[in-house]
Structures are given as C-alpha cells and as structure tokens.
Amino acid sequence: MVSHQQSLPTRTAGTSLDDDDAIPDVDTTETSGLLQERLQAYKHACGYLENYITATEKVQKAHAKEYEKVLKTVSDPLKQGHHFDQQLGGIAGLFENIRSNTQMKGIANSHLETEKTIKGAVLPVLERLHTEIKNKSKELSKGADKGSKEVAKARNVTQKHIELLGQYTAASSSSGGKIEPSNDPYVLQRGVNHRLNKQVIEENNNRHDLVEIQNSFSSFEAHIIQTFQQALQTFVQCVGGQHERQKAMYSDIVANAQRIPPDFEFKGFVHRNSQLLVDPSAPKRDISQISFPNQNHASTKPLIAGTLERKSRGMGALKGYSTDYYVVTASKFLHEFKDDDDFRKDPTPELSLYLPDCTIGAVSGEKFNIKGKDASKGKLGSAMAMTHELSFKAHSPADAERWYSVIREVAGGTAAYTEHVSSPTSPVESGSVPGQQPPRQYRDKNVTPVQTQGLAQGPGAGAGAGAGAGAGSAGPMSAGGSGPKPYGSPVSGAGVTGSAPTSAVERKPGEYY
C-alpha cells in the first residue's frame, strides 16, 4: 500500500494559543488532521507487514510445489538397482530416506504446513489490527473533526460580531448620530460576550476531545506495536520451525549416507554375483592345462621337426647358410618358420613347399636339395611363383638321412604315418575340408621332375640315365634305382627292390591325407 507523501501540519516558532485573543491563530483541524495522518501511517505500516507475510506464505506454498518437482527426480526406482542391496543401510536405503524426507514427512509437507500456519495464525492478527486502525480513523473523523468544525463555526460567528462592534463604535465616536438599538455598541458588546462564551465552550470541548484522543493514541500505538511484535514472533516461530525441520531432514539424509560402510555395497555385490565374478584366489590359467577340439588329431602332429640350415637365395647367397625351424606335416608340406615359438607372434610360415610337387635331391653328407615353388602366398601367389632350388644342411649326416627319408616318403606319396587316423570333431567330412587338397594347378596335371645337377631323374628318362645311376652316381633315390615320381605315382620305400609298392592308403588321383 503506497500513499503519496503529504506534508504534515506544523506550527511555526512563536505561534501559540493565546488565551487573550478572542480568535486564536491556531486551526484546531490541524491537530485532528495530524492525528489522522498518523493513523494512516500506521495503517500503511500494517499493510506493508501484511503484504510481506502474505508473500512469504505464497512462497512457502510455491516451495511445496517446487519440492514436488525435486521429489520426481528420485521417485523412480534406481536404474540397474539390482546391483544395490535392497535392505536399509545401503544405497537403495539412502534414496528411500531421501524420498521420505522430501515428501512424506519431509520438506514438501513442511512448507505446506508453514503456509497453512502463516495463513491461519499470523495474517488474521494483522488483518484485525488493520481493521482497528480504520475504526480508530473513523472515530477520529466523527469526534475530533466534528468538534473542530464546530469551533471554527463559533469563531466565525464571534468574529462577525466583533467586526460589527468595531464598526458601530467607530461610527458613534465620529458622528454621534442616532443608531439602531440593536446596533448599540453596548448591546453589540454583550452579544460578542455571549458568542465568545459559546465559542470558548466549543473550544474547550474540542480541546478536551483532542486531549482524550491524544492520550488514547499513546495506548493505541502501544497496542499496534505489541500486535506487530506478536504477529512477527508467531511468524518467526512458524518459519524458523520450518527451517529447523528442514535442516533436521537434510541432516538425517547426510547421517544416513555417512552410516553406509564404504565396503557394504561391494561385499553384497560380490556375495550376490560370486558365480560371475573372478575369484582372486583361483589359480591363473595355464595353456598347458587347456584342451580344445582336434588338439591331438594325427594331422596336427609333425612328421619331423627341427632346425636346419638353408642357403640364402639371390643377393643373400653371399651370406651363406641361415638357421630356421622346419616342419614336415602330414599334409605333405615342408614349412619354414623363424622359430618354434607359438606365443611371441603368430606362427605364419616364411616358406611352404608342397613336397609331392617338388623334386628331391640326393643326400650328400649332411646336405640335400629340394626344388619347388613356394606355396605360402596362396593360390595366386603360388601360380605366379618361380621354381627355386633350395639347399639344406642338417646338423649331421645321420640327421640329414632322417630328414631325407621323411621328405622322400611324403614327396613320393607313401603314407608317412601308419597309426590309426582319429576322426576330427569338426562336422566337415574328411577330404572336403578347405586347405586339405593341393592347389588346383597341381591336381589338374602331373608335374614332371626337373633334371638338375645332383638330382634324381624322372621316370621318363632314357636307359642311359638309369645306367649312369648304376655306374656309381649316387642318385637321390639310390636304394630303388629310380627317382621321385610325379604327383600321384607311388614311390618305392628305402632299401626295397623290385616293383614299387603302392601307398598304404587307397587314394584317387588328387586326393591325399
């Protein structure tokens, strides 16, 4: 409630109510007006206080609604809540405590209760006081203001008779003429006394009323201030109590969180998921203890394996021999590896020779030769690869004979191992597994052995070649007097004379094991 500031009536210095003056200079309405303005000031003060507390009451109501929004942030169950212990004392219990303190017995309801208390216990006190001030203003208007008006009216009447007395006293002194009896100065003077007496009575009555009002103002203002104090005390108790309850609720949330042991949730998590979590006391896995399908299948076992020295090709021939790890497999490949370590890097062959398509040279001490194409680059790479003659050197002549014997058996098509071949666990039938047949270019045609120095002669050589072998030339297949056969032709075993035996395993052309 805003009112325009009005200048209050004041009395100038030196002006006083002189009892000797018939018509005092002081207007009695100024006193009642001053008191009226004072009541207006208190009424505005009460209105300001009402507005303040009403706004606070509305804020409390708004806070209750806002805390409903706060509650919605935690009202839904925790996502992946099954990870937390559902009993009290854990994370799930903490959020249940937050919900409880926020709504059920909590902050939102405390704001609603505060709003109701302010509306029912504080505002009515100020509203009643506001009404009392209005009534006091009306009382002042009906009493003091009315008396002041009567005084002013009486003074006006007295003033007229005094002026009339002055007029006729002056006339009688100057002219001495005859005047009306009613205008006789003597009569006029008595009339002035009569009206002055009535004026004084009105002034005294008005003065008495103003004194009574002034005295009542003292007690009334005390009542106003005491009512302000009472209303504010109730207001502070209400709002302060709400703040204390809110503080207690937040403190309860904090205390609930602090009571959770740091390892409470994790212990429960481990207990509930012991079948899925890693047991720290369990031993580490050892690859030597691990098995997998076809791990011990016969085709995975090398026929012979070990280190050999091979003479470098091309520009590297100047370096001489280099040592690598070689394996002859049941799939009839001679693979070259840098070493026999399966773990340091992926063991991809550096060189792969499909022995049935190669020409095997004779053993000379601890050395022997193999001529063929590198098949480690795939079908396209093998088709475009050039034929190279590779020189190998074993650790000893006996070691060279062992390597030569196995390689000759594989290259000639003779079964390199005679034990029972276990059936693989793969659902793919034997003979149709990818990678188990030689490249198409080797299946579609027979490869004629290449005649080189120190190498065995092919079956198409003339009689002179055979005679040369019988004349003392140590051919690579000297035991039988004949060299390695083209792919698909049986080769005689070492030290066997007569007709060449067939393989121990029946095969069609192009099939192998």
Side-chain angles (χ1 to χ4, degrees):
M1 298 180 181
V2 181
S3 63
H4 296 289
Q5 185 175 0
Q6 299 177 351
S7 59
L8 299 179
T10 58
R11 294 177 181 175
T12 58
T15 303
S16 63
L17 186 59
D18 191 352
D19 292 339
D20 295 337
D21 294 334
I23 307 299
D25 293 336
V26 176
D27 187 359
T28 57
T29 58
E30 293 181 355
T31 302
S32 61
L34 179 65
L35 295 177
Q36 192 69 260
E37 285 189 0
R38 187 164 182 81
L39 286 176
Q40 290 294 324
Y42 271 112
K43 186 178 73 171
H44 292 318
C46 183
Y48 284 177
L49 198 55
E50 282 183 87
N51 292 342
Y52 175 80
I53 295 178
T54 300
T56 304
E57 174 255 333
K58 292 180 179 179
V59 167
Q60 293 293 327
K61 186 175 182 180
H63 275 332
K65 293 182 179 179
E66 292 299 321
Y67 271 100
E68 291 295 331
K69 297 179 182 179
V70 173
L71 177 65
K72 288 182 180 179
T73 62
V74 292
S75 60
D76 295 332
L78 288 172
K79 294 181 179 179
Q80 283 80 39
H82 62 278
H83 279 273
F84 303 113
D85 199 315
Q86 299 304 309
Q87 299 179 358
L88 295 179
I91 296 298
L94 170 63
F95 279 92
E96 189 61 34
N97 178 269
I98 291 174
R99 295 185 194 100
S100 176
N101 280 313
T102 304
Q103 182 187 35
M104 299 176 185
K105 61 176 182 179
I107 301 170
N109 281 353
S110 70
H111 282 289
L112 285 176
E113 293 173 1
T114 302
E115 181 255 340
K116 292 178 181 178
T117 304
I118 292 174
K119 195 172 184 178
V122 181
L123 285 176
V125 173
L126 296 175
E127 289 171 356
R128 286 194 299 270
L129 179 62
H130 202 125
T131 302
E132 290 178 15
I133 294 173
K134 286 183 177 180
N135 293 336
K136 188 70 174 178
S137 178
K138 291 179 180 179
E139 179 184 342
L140 179 60
S141 298
K142 292 181 179 180
D145 286 354
K146 184 177 180 180
S148 298
K149 290 178 180 179
E150 292 295 331
V151 169
K153 183 179 179 181
R155 285 179 178 178
N156 288 334
V157 173
T158 303
Q159 181 67 29
K160 288 181 180 179
H161 278 75
I162 291 174
E163 292 175 355
L164 189 61
L165 175 61
Q167 177 184 349
Y168 284 101
T169 54
S172 63
S173 299
S174 61
S175 62
K178 184 179 178 180
I179 59 176
E180 296 292 331
S182 60
N183 294 328
D184 188 340
Y186 172 80
V187 176
L188 291 175
Q189 181 182 10
R190 291 187 67 178
V192 169
N193 289 335
H194 173 74
R195 288 163 177 77
L196 185 59
N197 180 61
K198 290 181 66 175
Q199 172 190 327
V200 170
I201 292 173
E202 293 292 341
E203 287 176 346
N204 288 336
N205 290 337
N206 185 53
R207 179 179 182 278
H208 180 267
D209 291 341
L210 290 176
V211 170
E212 289 292 331
I213 291 174
Q214 287 181 187
N215 292 337
S216 67
F217 256 63
S218 176
S219 59
F220 186 67
E221 287 190 14
H223 168 69
I224 292 175
I225 293 174
Q226 289 172 356
T227 304
F228 282 175
Q229 292 171 344
Q230 176 189 352
L232 288 174
Q233 183 177 4
T234 306
F235 173 74
V236 170
Q237 287 177 350
C238 178
V239 177
Q242 189 274 329
H243 284 300
E244 290 298 326
R245 291 192 300 272
Q246 183 169 337
K247 180 180 178 181
M249 292 168 192
Y250 280 125
S251 299
D252 182 63
I253 293 174
V254 173
N256 188 282
Q258 290 176 340
R259 285 194 295 269
I260 302 176
D263 59 347
F264 175 80
E265 286 292 347
F266 188 73
K267 285 183 177 180
F269 170 69
V270 171
H271 177 72
R272 294 189 302 272
N273 299 276
S274 58
Q275 299 300 322
L276 300 177
L277 295 175
V278 177
D279 184 2
S281 61
K284 295 181 179 180
R285 277 165 55 88
D286 186 353
I287 192 172
S288 63
Q289 305 297 325
I290 298 175
S291 62
F292 49 87
N294 299 317
Q295 180 180 13
N296 296 315
H297 190 268
S299 63
T300 65
K301 304 299 180 183
L303 303 181
I304 188 171
T307 56
L308 293 173
E309 295 182 42
R310 179 171 66 83
K311 192 173 184 180
S312 300
R313 295 173 293 173
M315 297 299 294
L318 299 176
K319 298 180 180 179
Y321 286 88
S322 60
T323 303
D324 292 295
Y325 187 78
Y326 292 88
V327 179
V328 177
T329 68
S331 301
K332 303 182 182 181
F333 280 100
L334 172 64
H335 295 300
E336 174 187 294
F337 299 91
K338 289 295 184 183
D339 50 43
D340 62 345
D341 188 354
D342 291 347
F343 310 133
R344 184 169 55 86
K345 66 176 184 177
D346 190 12
T348 303
E350 302 290 333
L351 173 69
S352 295
L353 298 177
Y354 186 62
L355 294 175
D357 292 343
C358 297
T359 303
I360 313 302
V363 176
S364 177
E366 55 192 24
K367 298 179 181 180
F368 60 92
N369 296 340
I370 299 177
K371 189 173 184 179
K373 293 183 178 182
D374 182 8
S376 64
K377 307 303 180 183
K379 292 182 179 180
L380 180 61
S382 299
M384 298 178 63
M386 298 178 62
T387 301
H388 295 281
E389 183 176 353
L390 307 176
S391 300
F392 295 92
K393 183 168 69 173
H395 297 290
S396 64
D399 195 20
E401 286 290 347
R402 285 194 308 106
W403 278 92
Y404 175 75
S405 175
V406 173
I407 292 173
R408 184 189 61 185
E409 251 186 314
V410 173
T414 305
Y417 54 93
T418 59
E419 66 269 19
H420 176 68
V421 179
S422 61
S423 299
T425 59
S426 172
V428 183
E429 295 181 359
S430 176
S432 62
V433 179
Q436 292 294 311
Q437 294 185 0
R440 180 175 299 274
Q441 65 269 26
Y442 300 134
R443 298 201 309 268
D444 296 340
K445 63 182 178 179
N446 292 331
V447 179
T448 303
V450 180
Q451 178 65 36
T452 61
Q453 182 181 359
L455 298 181
Q457 299 178 12
S473 299
M477 296 291 186
S478 58
S482 62
K485 304 297 182 180
Y487 176 71
S489 301
V491 180
S492 61
V496 180
T497 59
S499 62
T502 61
S503 171
V505 182
E506 287 295 331
R507 297 183 295 113
K508 296 179 180 180
E511 290 186 348
Y512 70 101
Y513 296 90

